Amino acid sequence: MPKGSDLLVAALENEGVDRIFGVPGEENLDVVESLRSSSIKLILTRHEQGAAFMAATHGRLTGRPGVCITTLGPGALNLTTAAAYALLGGMPMIMLTGQKGIMSSRQAQFQIVDVVTAFKPLTKLSRQIVSTRTIPTLVRDAFRIAMEERPGPVLLELPEDIAGEECEHVAMVPRHPIEIPIAHRAALDRAAELILKAKRPLIMLGAAASRPRSTAGIGGFVRRTKIPFFTTQMGKGTVPGGSNLYMGTAALSERDYVHEAVDRADLIIAIGHDTIEKPPFIMGPKGPQVIHVSYTPANVEQVYFPQCEVVGDVGPSLELLADRVEGRLHNAGALLSLREGILSRIADRATEDRWPPTPQRIVHDVRQVIPEDGIIALDNGMYKIWFARNYRTYVANTVLLDNALATMGAGLPSAMMAAMLYPDRRVLAVCGDGGFMMNSQEMETAVRLKLNLVVLILEDSAYGMIRWKQAVDHFPDFGLSFGNPDFVKYAESYGAKGSRVESTGDLIPTLERAFKGGGVHLVVAPIDYTENTKVLIDELREKLKQVDEPVA
Ligand SMILES: Cc1ncc(C[n+]2csc(CCOP(=O)(O)OP(=O)(O)O)c2C)c(N)n1
Ligand SMILES: [Mg+2]
């Protein structure tokens, strides 16, 4: 006779799950035993947070939920940050947590926390499984909810007595494809009218434009309309940055070079914008009109209140919109004259060989060693702004960054997931010395899994981004510096390789050697953060004078 845990694992197999990440506890042992004879691989991590960052990234990259498993109480609570990461980031994920038996209680309240309630604000659904009979339907429902727009995390708690209970076999619920409806004709007509009337239109690609299902249809819209586009941080790559319509990425909310185009636009077609991202531009009473094109209606915010919405499956809806305007847009390229100026100033001094290297130089050199389909996964720190702003992206989802929860600690685990899914591509984690240490224990997991992965640590012995903000706000330099382990020895102690970049010219050869050598390789380089204030504050303030000039 099957047990509850057998039904759970069969239901996961029915969903096509091939790996589960996590740290089991004694309450999960029936599930672990059921996994042993299944087609699903159990991948142990060294912290539950790492497991859930990997599972969320699986969802982000494939559109199918990644799965993680933990014990009750302490293990489950270690999932909270990654649950929020998946919720804000729109990443489908299933979290399976254990619990003490619910039919009798022989350990009183030991380790018991109301996990289901704790996760309610961090998930799309958080439920306890109370009967073996409902397992197949609950699992099917959990996967559907996790994948449906907007995608996100779901938590299922399986008490150990339900997991261990013998039961009749219950049939699995078969999967079937679900098409998302296409936008209404009236909405398409209204949007087309605005686009046809626009004098200076601009397209913006946001986070939902990077969903695996979105990426195919969007390129066609940009090509057919020939309207220049910029991206949010999480919208990078959906339409190749090499395209001659790319105007830049909004890494700051306002007053960056790209905002010269934004501020002059009279219409912005915001494709897949999700206001969980730090605003890529600020809407005001006098600013451009905005058409919101996405799977779900816009959230109305102080900084985002579109005047027109095209809600539906993004690719096919855009195709219908392009049918209405293609060949009739006389002003499509009105803002293109700004492109050269924006991009050349962003590329400014990218080859300067000052030591320690500048952020611009590091971004430039990383781009040289990463092929077009190579993936960089960023942790959170000051360098993220530089990569978002300066790194050109040619393929969708080749820059994995978190501009939603913006948590530290996800860089290494998300890069590991990318390396598992795409073993033939180069994958680079880019981390600060602060963020790397938040999940550096997963180096052991990476080595055990024999991943090919390079980790670049940018060392400034500080929580650099906060230290920078402290200086910008004219606070004295205090309380944000720390010491580091010897990262080369640290890598070697895990059985990985380690290298230190000793001169600016050494950065590219060191990264090349690391990729060619295979396995897990940690490269540590210092970074000169004096550029933060010089470029992002002083230079842009100078620039601002021009941006404030009246629009022609
Ligand atoms: C989990 C978490 N804790 C704190 C923060 C606030 N925070 C944002 S960036 C940052 C400093 C990052 O330091 P590091 O990783 O060394 O990168 P650096 O900015 O120095 O390049 C901090 C503390 C955060 N975003 N996430
Ligand atoms: Mg740092």
Side-chain angles (χ1 to χ4, degrees), residues 432-434 458-464 482 529:
D433 43 6
L458 302 172
E459 187 173 32
D460 66 340
S461 301
Y463 291 122
F482 47 67
Y529 271 153

Side-chain angles (χ1 to χ4, degrees), residues 356-404:
T358 59
Q360 299 95 308
R361 174 71 193 250
I362 289 172
V363 174
H364 171 271
D365 285 10
V366 165
R367 189 63 274 189
Q368 305 302 305
V369 298
I370 303 288
E372 292 199 352
D373 70 348
I375 295 177
I376 61 168
L378 307 182
D379 207 275
N380 255 276
M382 194 62 212
Y383 54 87
K384 187 181 83 175
I385 293 181
W386 289 103
F387 271 89
R389 196 171 177 265
N390 293 29
Y391 188 85
R392 285 285 190 95
T393 314
Y394 305 100
V395 176
N397 290 306
T398 51
V399 175
L400 300 180
L401 60 74
D402 166 22
N403 185 34

Side-chain angles (χ1 to χ4, degrees), residues 205 214-225 238-240 245 318:
L205 303 178
S214 309
T215 52
I218 296 176
F221 181 75
V222 174
R223 267 193 308 279
R224 289 175 66 191
T225 59
T238 298
V239 179
L245 296 170
L318 284 176

Side-chain angles (χ1 to χ4, degrees), residues 49 52-53 76-87 93 119 122 405 407-408:
Q49 194 183 86
F53 281 143
L77 292 174
N78 272 346
L79 295 176
T80 49
T81 302
Y85 171 80
L87 184 71
M93 167 165 77
F119 277 79
L122 300 174
L405 185 66
T407 181
M408 295 163 75

Side-chain angles (χ1 to χ4, degrees), residues 40-53:
I40 302 173
K41 220 163 124 185
L42 174 63
I43 297 181
L44 285 190
T45 59
R46 307 307 302 269
H47 193 291
E48 292 85 351
Q49 194 183 86
F53 281 143

Side-chain angles (χ1 to χ4, degrees), residues 510-528:
T510 308
L511 287 170
E512 266 303 331
R513 272 196 303 276
F515 278 114
K516 291 214 172 94
V520 180
H521 200 130
L522 199 154
V523 174
V524 55
I527 184 164
D528 178 2

